[in-house]
Each structure stands twice: as C-alpha cells, then as structure tokens.
Amino acid sequence: MRPVAGRSSRAQFDAMSDIDNTTRRPGPWDLPPEQAAPEPVRARQSAPLEDKGQHPAWAIASTLLMAGFLWWITGSVIVAGAVLFGLFVHEYGHVLAMNKLGMGPARIYIIPFLGGLAKAQRNPKTEWHGVLVSLAGPAFGLIAMIPFVAIGLALKSPEWLMGAFFIAMINLVNLLPAPPLDGSKALGPVLTRVHPRLEQVALLAVGGLAVWWGLSTGRFILAAFLGIAVFSHLKRGVWRAAWGQLSWPEAGRSLALYLATAAVCAAAAIGALLPLTGGAVEPAFDMGLRFIGVGGR
C-alpha cells in the first residue's frame, strides 16, 4: 500500500508542478494566438471613431462655392458676406450647446448652395437637451447682426442694414416647423407630447407649405431640399416613443422658448429695416413681407 500512496503523492506533486511552473499548451478548441486579442484591445477597436469634421480642402471649397452662390442670388458682396457670416455664427450656436450638453466635440459642415450643418459626436441625452440645441442656433445667430447694424448706422448704408436683415431672416426661417429645419426639432417634441401622430401631421403639412412657398417664390433649390427632407420623414412612421419623452413642464418650457426665439428673430429683422423707413414700423413690416413673398403693399 505504501508504494501506491507514494505514487499518488508523486502524481499530485507533478500535477501541481504542471499548473504552477509550466505554460499550458493550446488545446484543439483554443483560438490561434493572433486572434486571441486581450479584451481591452477589442473594446477599443469596436468603439466608434470620432468625427474629425470636414476636410480643410473641402471646407474651403464649400465656403467659396457658398459665397459665390450667395453673391449671385443677392447681387451684393456685403449682403453675401453677411449671410455667410451669419451662417457660421448660427451653426456655432448649435456647436456651443452640443459641447455644453455632452454631445461634443461638435463640428461644422458647409453644404454648398444649401447652408450649414452642426454635427455632434453623440445624440442628446434627453429630448429637452435636443430642444435646447435646436434653439441655440437661431438665438445665438442674431449676434452676427451687431457689426452690420453698427456699420450700417455709422455709414448710413442700406446695404449693410440689409445684410443685418438677411442674418435675422436666416434664423427666423430656420424656426419654421418643417423638417429638417431647427423649428421641427424644437416644436416636434412638444407636439409629440400631446400625441405622437400630431407631430407627423403638423410638420408634414408645414413642410408641404414650405415646399410650395419655395417653388412659388423662385427658391427652387430650397424647395427641392425641403421636398426631399419631407419625403424622407414621411417614410419613418412614428418618429418618437409613444407620447414623447418630454415631461409636461418641459413641453411648456420648450414651447415658450420657441415662441420667444421666433419673436426675437422677427423683431430683429424688422428692427434692421427701421433705419431705412425713417423708424416707421409698418413700412418696415411690409418690406419684410415682400422679401418672403407673401404680400406687402
């Protein structure tokens, strides 16, 4: 019996020795060494790449194309420069809000003949954050008016004041609740809070009217852009979770901010025209209406 016990103890010692002192040979079910990457490495490889933004060469080319297009449709270097400057400031307002709310670092893209786009690295955490981001562009974009109003008043130049008016109109038109404009992203969650289908009906109706407005006033590129956006949104079905994600207090604040931003943009547009009408509000209002092609005397 003792030899057997000795052999058993020896076998146990050998087994312990194999575990502690030698490297286990790969078995038939093990992955090859080159495929068995450590878990942290595979996690890093699967993480989404950060958006580096528009390539500098394409950004310069897009800006030049946009500037040339604006000069062609406005006939004024100053007004074209105002619109381009206002476009950058508007998009930078979105960027500031995105970065502040943890969606950044956000990037600005210039889209020739159409405008600009602020692109975040990740989605907003809540619908309320999305509303704030969408309204930050029009609200912040009005800052671009300041130098043009100041120079226009100092030089008594209608051209500089018209540049300020166009900047205000960029931000006001963006508040239309038509996809994919900022107004649809600010007002849409409020409508969904009432009923998920209300957003679809309202935004598609306004989008259709915006397309008709673009065609009837000769803004064919804008009409085509809005038409494609409305059609793509039409195929999405229900756009948000049932009854939305805004609470009722957040929906109230969103609606109040939307209306306040629209009122400030409209007042800024009329205010830029007041020096051209001797301070008379009604003629300035008529000038604004004639610009958007809906009447005016």
Side-chain angles (χ1 to χ4, degrees):
M1 296 295 293
R2 292 183 62 183
V4 174
R7 287 195 298 270
S8 176
S9 299
R10 181 68 180 179
Q12 291 176 4
F13 178 82
D14 290 342
M16 292 176 61
S17 178
D18 288 341
I19 295 173
D20 294 340
N21 300 325
T22 62
T23 302
R24 186 178 68 86
R25 295 180 180 179
W29 311 113
D30 290 330
L31 290 174
E34 63 272 11
Q35 295 184 15
E39 199 62 36
V41 174
R42 282 187 287 186
R44 287 196 300 268
Q45 290 175 345
S46 61
L49 297 176
E50 180 179 312
D51 181 10
K52 299 299 183 181
Q54 203 167 18
H55 190 278
W58 178 237
I60 294 173
S62 299
T63 302
L64 292 176
L65 285 172
M66 192 70 191
F69 175 69
L70 292 171
W71 174 74
W72 177 62
I73 63 175
T74 63
S76 168
V77 173
I78 293 175
V79 173
V83 173
L84 191 62
F85 178 63
L87 177 66
F88 273 105
V89 176
H90 173 101
E91 298 303 335
Y92 191 64
H94 290 308
V95 166
L96 287 177
M98 289 173 178
N99 292 342
K100 181 69 175 179
L101 296 174
M103 300 165 60
R107 312 294 185 187
I108 294 177
Y109 288 79
I110 297 299
I111 306 173
F113 317 118
L114 291 176
L117 170 69
K119 187 176 180 182
Q121 300 293 339
R122 54 194 64 84
N123 293 327
K125 296 178 181 178
T126 64
E127 291 283 12
W128 170 243
H129 284 180
V131 170
L132 294 177
V133 167
S134 63
L135 293 177
F140 190 82
L142 294 178
I143 296 176
M145 295 178 62
I146 295 175
F148 290 89
V149 171
I151 296 175
L153 292 175
L155 301 179
K156 295 181 170 51
S157 170
E159 202 170 12
W160 285 86
L161 293 172
M162 286 302 299
F165 168 76
F166 272 81
I167 291 173
M169 290 305 300
I170 288 174
N171 296 287
L172 183 60
V173 169
N174 255 284
L175 287 172
L176 282 173
L181 301 178
D182 293 330
S184 66
K185 302 167 188 174
L187 196 59
V190 178
L191 299 175
T192 302
R193 176 72 267 186
V194 179
H195 193 281
R197 290 291 179 183
L198 182 59
E199 178 184 8
Q200 287 179 302
V201 174
L203 268 60
L204 291 175
V206 175
L209 289 174
V211 172
W212 173 82
W213 168 72
L215 293 174
S216 62
T217 58
R219 296 170 172 87
F220 301 115
I221 295 179
L222 177 62
F225 174 67
L226 291 175
I228 294 172
V230 168
F231 180 74
S232 64
H233 277 64
L234 185 62
K235 299 191 301 181
R236 287 175 52 185
V238 175
W239 296 350
R240 306 178 198 273
W243 306 109
Q245 299 176 10
L246 287 179
S247 65
W248 281 111
E250 288 174 339
R253 291 197 296 270
S254 299
L255 180 60
L257 283 175
Y258 173 80
L259 294 176
T261 305
V264 171
C265 289
I270 300 301
L273 298 177
L274 286 178
L276 303 179
T277 62
V281 176
E282 187 174 354
F285 187 73
D286 287 342
M287 288 179 65
L289 289 178
R290 285 197 295 271
F291 165 75
I292 61 177
V294 296
R297 294 189 297 273

